[in-house]
Amino acid sequence: AVSRAIMLRVAKRELPETFRLYRPARIVAFGRQDERAPGFRDAVIAAKEQGFESVVRLAGGRAAVFHAGTLSFAHAIPEDDVTARTFARFRQMSDLLASALRRLGIDARVGEVPGEYCPGDYSVNSAGRVKLVGIGQRLVSGAAHVGGVVVAEDGLSVRSVLVPVYRALGLDWDPATASSVQDEVGAGWEEVEAAIVSEIADRYDIEEVSLDDETLALAAGMEPDHVA
């Protein structure tokens, strides 16, 4: 809901282009397609049994896992013609995050790993073997949201919760394709965060700010839309 509020305020030009980077709680973020699936209720229950709350996320795709060992990112971009650069925005984000992970020694590549969860052409993987980053996009009049998750630590938790969740949703995937940066090269959450911030700073003029009261109030009003 916070990322949605930022996107809507950027669309109205009430906020400038904004990149949100934060440490999430233990949640499974379901897509709208998951919400319509016959096994959705069972999937939410399965997540709860593993200690994860459930939300319906802003961008598309299938269920993905967020926890304290991951970094959630959300880039809100003002656009006069939101459909003109859809694939360019995907490419820019995947390139940014792959470049950040290369700073840490990851053989980061862009593309879907066969059998990965929440499959996408712009996922970022390690050496074509394991998925480390998922990216989705949402468009509204006047702005685009490009967001997702980087698994910095604890790939085991991702695998453990998604096995019963995907079973409930009737989705096939290979748990061996889910890993973390720490599993691959030993770098932890803080190092991954620093690498991402450094990569952003190399590409943009940035100013660190806090969430303002108006954005938080708007998000609070939309929170029920995103509770699974």
Side-chain angles (χ1 to χ4, degrees):
V2 171
S3 294
R4 181 179 169 193
I6 292 171
M7 176 187 65
L8 293 176
R9 296 199 67 206
V10 168
K12 294 180 179 178
R13 307 303 187 259
E14 296 172 353
L15 291 177
E17 182 175 357
T18 302
F19 197 108
R20 180 182 182 221
L21 187 65
Y22 63 100
R23 193 169 205 157
R26 288 166 65 86
I27 59 172
V28 176
F30 292 93
R32 295 294 179 184
Q33 191 174 356
D34 296 321
E35 194 178 26
R36 295 190 294 268
F40 178 62
R41 183 177 182 275
D42 290 339
V44 171
I45 292 171
K48 184 72 170 179
E49 290 174 345
Q50 296 293 322
F52 284 76
E53 299 297 331
S54 296
V55 301
V56 178
R57 69 168 178 265
L58 189 57
R62 307 310 296 256
V65 174
F66 295 69
H67 58 63
T70 69
L71 291 93
S72 184
F73 58 90
H75 191 187
I77 308 164
E79 297 279 11
D80 292 328
D81 182 354
V82 292
T83 61
R85 298 181 57 255
T86 301
F87 295 107
R89 288 187 294 268
F90 269 124
R91 288 192 295 269
Q92 288 167 356
M93 180 62 81
S94 60
D95 178 70
L96 186 155
L97 294 171
S99 296
L101 295 185
R102 290 185 194 112
R103 292 172 181 253
L104 301 172
I106 294 281
D107 178 10
R109 308 177 188 178
V110 176
E112 180 181 334
V113 175
E116 72 177 23
Y117 71 94
C118 191
D121 292 340
Y122 296 95
S123 298
V124 179
N125 66 71
S126 175
R129 298 180 297 101
V130 291
K131 179 173 183 170
L132 300 176
V133 181
I135 301 173
Q137 190 165 176
R138 170 75 178 271
L139 309 180
V140 295
S141 178
H145 156 92
V146 186
V149 61
V150 182
V151 183
E153 301 174 356
D154 192 10
L156 177 60
S157 287
V158 174
R159 295 188 293 272
S160 296
V161 68
L162 283 185
V163 166
V165 165
Y166 270 53
R167 183 185 304 123
L169 293 172
L171 299 174
D172 292 326
W173 76 294
D174 180 2
T177 62
S179 189
S180 72
V181 175
Q182 190 171 63
D183 292 336
E184 293 295 298
V185 295
W189 193 94
E190 288 79 8
E191 293 165 284
V192 176
E193 180 195 38
I196 294 172
V197 171
S198 295
E199 191 66 34
I200 296 169
D202 282 352
R203 299 176 183 225
Y204 300 91
D205 294 326
I206 60 173
E207 176 187 359
E208 186 173 353
V209 297
S210 299
L211 288 166
D212 61 277
D213 291 341
E214 188 172 351
T215 298
L216 289 172
L218 180 60
M222 296 186 294
E223 182 178 359
D225 296 342
H226 296 278
V227 175

